[in-house]
Amino acid sequence: MKKIKYVFLFTLVLLSFEITKVFADGCSQGGIHAFSINTHLVNMRVNNTFKLLGSAQLELYCTVNGSSFSQYVDVPVRFSLLNPTSALTVTENGLITGKSVGTGKIRAYSATGNAYDDVTVNVHEALNSMSFGEHKKTLKVNEEESLSINTVPSGVVTSNFIWSSSDSTVVSVNNGTIKGLKEGEAVITLKDRYSDLSITTNVNVIVPITSVEVTSGEQSVGLGSSFKLELAFKPENATPRNYSWVSSNSGVATVDQEGNVTVVGPGNATISIVTEDGDEFVVKSLSLEAAQNDAVDPTDNNNNDNNNDTDATNNAVAPNNDVPDTVSNPGTGLFLTLVFGFGLCFILIGCYYLSKKYRMIRKI
């Protein structure tokens, strides 16, 4: 029993020695093992914010049970202005706020250890919003257009904007000038280089109609007659477009939106279509003289000859139509009557004296 007691005491002494040895072991601080920040240059707008991020690891030299090893622990990164400036402010956690146009420097440093790095911050003029000016939503192949930009406040330098196209094979963009390359659709994006502002616009590209052809055959109609015009478009791969029928003179011919034409009076008129893009194509020309009952297409050479003959006939008759009407004047008529009366009296008196003298001569 006494022997067991000594063995137990000896075991306690050994255990105490080991515990003391463990507590005597520990870690000593080394240097910063790694230090980094998310950027060394910031470009931002007045009234905008930007968040700096940093990370640092401290190396510890440790000994446990006689074994040495290194251990790494994360330590905070702090931020402060390197030099006082009115252009910006920064919090200890790295939140920058632009205050006025200018430049400043910020120092990032580890809360433990002696690691640090610097950040340059450029604050640019304020930009609250931006939008595209009026522009075409549809371009023809090879057609170009320059997009204008509206900014609030006005006058912001647009060279700090970034242009891009969702499909540069359909629509290309170069410093605000877009060009249609092939049939399709693309999204044009404009992004501010110094903020999160961006705007977009959709652009369609079409193969334009270059000409139209009447496929409904020849029409020979008179006053009051109607006919329907049917069309084919060139080139054959032209993009289908909405269009409207129009008459240049509704007093001569009317047309509905199905292409039905009615001749209602004499004169000249052209029937055309106008596409939704504003392109106009003359489909048919009509000419109807007042003395004729048939509508004449002035593009027909035979009809032109007939028109020339008609014009010649009309010119021949025109002088009779141009003779001015005689206007009666009561004063002029009375004067002529008096002159005629007095003249007749003088003639009669002269004849009387001549006859009297002649009889006297015979008596002698």
Side-chain angles (χ1 to χ4, degrees), residues 107-127:
R107 172 150 293 182
Y109 57 92
S110 60
T112 302
N114 57 357
Y116 66 88
D117 208 345
D118 294 337
V119 180
T120 299
V121 181
N122 298 314
V123 183
H124 302 268
E125 57 192 334
L127 176 62

Side-chain angles (χ1 to χ4, degrees), residues 111-328:
T112 302
N114 57 357
Y116 66 88
D117 208 345
D118 294 337
V119 180
T120 299
V121 181
N122 298 314
V123 183
H124 302 268
E125 57 192 334
L127 176 62
N128 300 327
S129 65
M130 57 184 181
S131 61
F132 290 112
E134 290 294 327
H135 65 281
K136 293 181 179 180
K137 298 292 186 179
T138 301
L139 293 179
K140 301 171 185 176
V141 172
N142 294 324
E143 183 180 8
E144 294 184 353
E145 184 176 11
S146 294
L147 299 181
S148 60
I149 308 301
N150 302 318
T151 62
V152 177
S154 61
V156 174
V157 177
T158 58
S159 60
N160 295 320
F161 296 160
I162 302 171
W163 295 87
S164 63
S165 171
S166 64
D167 191 340
S168 58
T169 66
V170 175
V171 181
S172 66
V173 58
N174 181 18
N175 197 28
T177 299
I178 57 176
K179 181 178 182 179
L181 300 179
K182 70 177 183 180
E183 187 176 16
E185 182 178 0
V187 178
I188 302 301
T189 300
L190 178 64
K191 186 182 185 307
D192 179 32
R193 189 185 304 273
Y194 303 142
S195 69
D196 294 331
L197 288 177
S198 64
I199 53 177
T200 62
T201 184
N202 292 354
V203 178
N204 292 309
V205 180
I206 65 168
V207 178
I209 299 170
T210 57
S211 63
V212 295
E213 178 183 347
V214 178
T215 60
S216 50
E218 294 296 327
Q219 298 85 20
S220 178
V221 298
L223 185 64
S225 297
S226 299
F227 56 90
K228 182 178 178 64
L229 294 173
E230 296 178 352
L231 304 177
F233 299 102
K234 301 293 184 180
E236 294 182 357
N237 66 333
T239 306
R241 308 299 292 160
N242 295 324
Y243 59 87
S244 302
W245 290 90
V246 294
S247 171
S248 65
N249 190 344
S250 58
V252 175
T254 61
V255 61
D256 63 18
Q257 294 309 305
E258 301 298 325
N260 296 304
V261 180
T262 301
V263 181
V264 295
N268 300 318
T270 56
I271 306 300
S272 306
I273 61 167
V274 179
T275 69
E276 59 185 292
D277 308 310
D279 295 328
E280 183 172 358
F281 298 92
V282 175
V283 177
K284 191 171 184 64
S285 298
L286 295 173
S287 178
L288 187 69
E289 300 296 338
Q292 293 177 331
N293 290 326
D294 293 329
V296 179
D297 188 339
T299 60
D300 189 330
N301 292 331
N302 294 329
N303 288 336
N304 287 338
D305 293 340
N306 294 334
N307 289 340
N308 292 335
D309 294 341
T310 303
D311 291 341
T313 302
N314 290 340
N315 291 336
V317 177
N320 293 331
N321 295 333
D322 294 338
V323 174
D325 295 334
T326 302
V327 180
S328 60

Side-chain angles (χ1 to χ4, degrees), residues 5-23:
K5 183 178 179 181
Y6 288 132
V7 171
F8 177 72
L9 291 174
F10 181 75
T11 303
L12 286 177
V13 171
L14 290 176
L15 183 60
S16 298
F17 177 78
E18 290 297 330
I19 292 174
T20 303
K21 182 179 179 182
V22 169
F23 278 99

Side-chain angles (χ1 to χ4, degrees), residues 4 100 223:
I4 295 174
S100 62
L223 185 64

Side-chain angles (χ1 to χ4, degrees), residues 334-345:
L334 179 61
F335 175 75
L336 294 175
T337 302
L338 291 175
V339 170
F340 179 76
F342 280 115
L344 183 61
C345 289

